[in-house]
Amino acid sequence: MAQDENKQENKEEQLEETAKEEVKTDEVTEDIDGKNEDHAEKENAVEEESSEISEGVGEEDAVENNNVSDDLDNSGESEGAEEEEVATEEKTDEGSLPKFDVGDTIRVSYKIVEGDKVRTQPFQGIVIAMKGAGLSKTFTVRKIGADNIGVERIFPFQSPNIDSIKVMKKGKVRRAKLYYLRGRVGRKATRIKEKVVAK
């Protein structure tokens, strides 16, 4: 019998505890609901004030007030917006490069940083290959240097150091890679038929 009484007392205590917890959760939800209502009321008041301001003041002042309030509210989001602006600037830089293909003779003006000085160095040769896709896309330019030594440079399309690219002449080729030019010596190493462009 003593055990039955203990079990009943334990059940009664558990019921009281759960009732207290339910009361606490109800109080918490009421507090949250109250805070949400307060926040909504504040937002409505701010919107009303901004509409009154925009009516009383010129449109430019209203836009500035809205921008200031947006900056205060979205201070963390401003960094993301700046990164988006930088990304769009890079895309416009890519668009400024002229269209060229394998076999074309081009002159690449490449920025070289030496200490505090920045100078541009032209590199003129034949485009012998294009590789990759997206940000890692590159093109290889080959020229014949001093003493008939072949020199090749690989340039990334997205390089900030490319100042400009000028297409000197269009080449007529039937290959995607012109590696066979590496085995040629003298005049034949740079000989590619020129593409005739119809006007």
Side-chain angles (χ1 to χ4, degrees):
M1 292 232 193
Q3 291 178 352
D4 291 336
E5 290 176 5
N6 287 337
K7 287 181 183 179
Q8 284 182 347
E9 288 176 6
N10 288 338
K11 286 182 182 180
E12 290 175 1
E13 289 176 4
Q14 287 177 355
L15 289 174
E16 289 175 7
E17 288 177 8
T18 54
K20 288 179 183 177
E21 289 177 4
E22 287 177 3
V23 169
K24 286 182 183 178
T25 55
D26 290 339
E27 290 174 0
V28 170
T29 54
E30 288 174 5
D31 288 342
I32 291 172
D33 292 338
K35 288 180 182 177
N36 288 340
E37 290 172 3
D38 291 340
H39 185 65
E41 289 174 3
K42 288 179 183 178
E43 286 181 357
N44 290 336
V46 169
E47 289 176 7
E48 290 173 5
E49 289 177 10
S50 64
S51 64
E52 290 173 5
I53 290 172
S54 64
E55 291 173 2
V57 183
E59 292 179 8
E60 296 173 354
D61 293 338
V63 170
E64 289 176 5
N65 288 337
N66 287 336
N67 289 341
V68 169
S69 64
D70 290 341
D71 290 342
L72 293 175
D73 293 339
N74 302 326
S75 60
E77 296 175 5
S78 63
E79 294 175 6
E82 290 174 5
E83 291 175 3
E84 290 176 4
E85 289 175 11
V86 171
T88 56
E89 290 174 5
E90 290 175 2
K91 288 178 184 175
T92 57
D93 288 343
E94 179 191 359
S96 65
L97 295 178
K99 185 175 181 337
F100 59 91
D101 293 313
V102 175
D104 296 350
T105 301
I106 63 172
R107 177 180 286 149
V108 180
S109 296
Y110 199 76
K111 294 179 198 172
I112 296 177
V113 179
E114 295 175 338
D116 296 337
K117 297 179 182 178
V118 178
R119 64 183 180 90
T120 58
Q121 183 182 54
F123 190 87
Q124 182 172 336
I126 299 170
V127 179
I128 64 168
M130 288 182 160
K131 290 184 180 181
L135 292 175
S136 62
K137 189 172 183 181
T138 61
F139 61 97
T140 306
V141 180
R142 178 181 175 85
K143 76 173 185 175
I144 303 299
D147 296 328
N148 289 329
I149 296 175
V151 179
E152 291 182 3
R153 283 187 75 174
I154 300 171
F155 297 99
F157 273 94
Q158 298 292 328
S159 174
N161 293 328
I162 294 178
D163 190 31
S164 64
I165 296 177
K166 184 176 180 184
V167 178
M168 306 306 282
K169 66 178 185 177
K170 291 286 208 181
K172 182 180 178 183
V173 294
R174 295 187 293 175
R175 305 275 185 277
K177 307 284 190 277
L178 304 181
Y179 295 143
Y180 65 87
L181 293 178
R182 293 175 177 168
R184 297 198 174 176
V185 180
R187 173 96 175 109
K188 292 181 180 179
T190 59
R191 245 174 126 184
I192 292 181
K193 289 183 181 178
E194 192 168 350
K195 187 186 286 185
V196 178
V197 180
K199 291 184 179 181

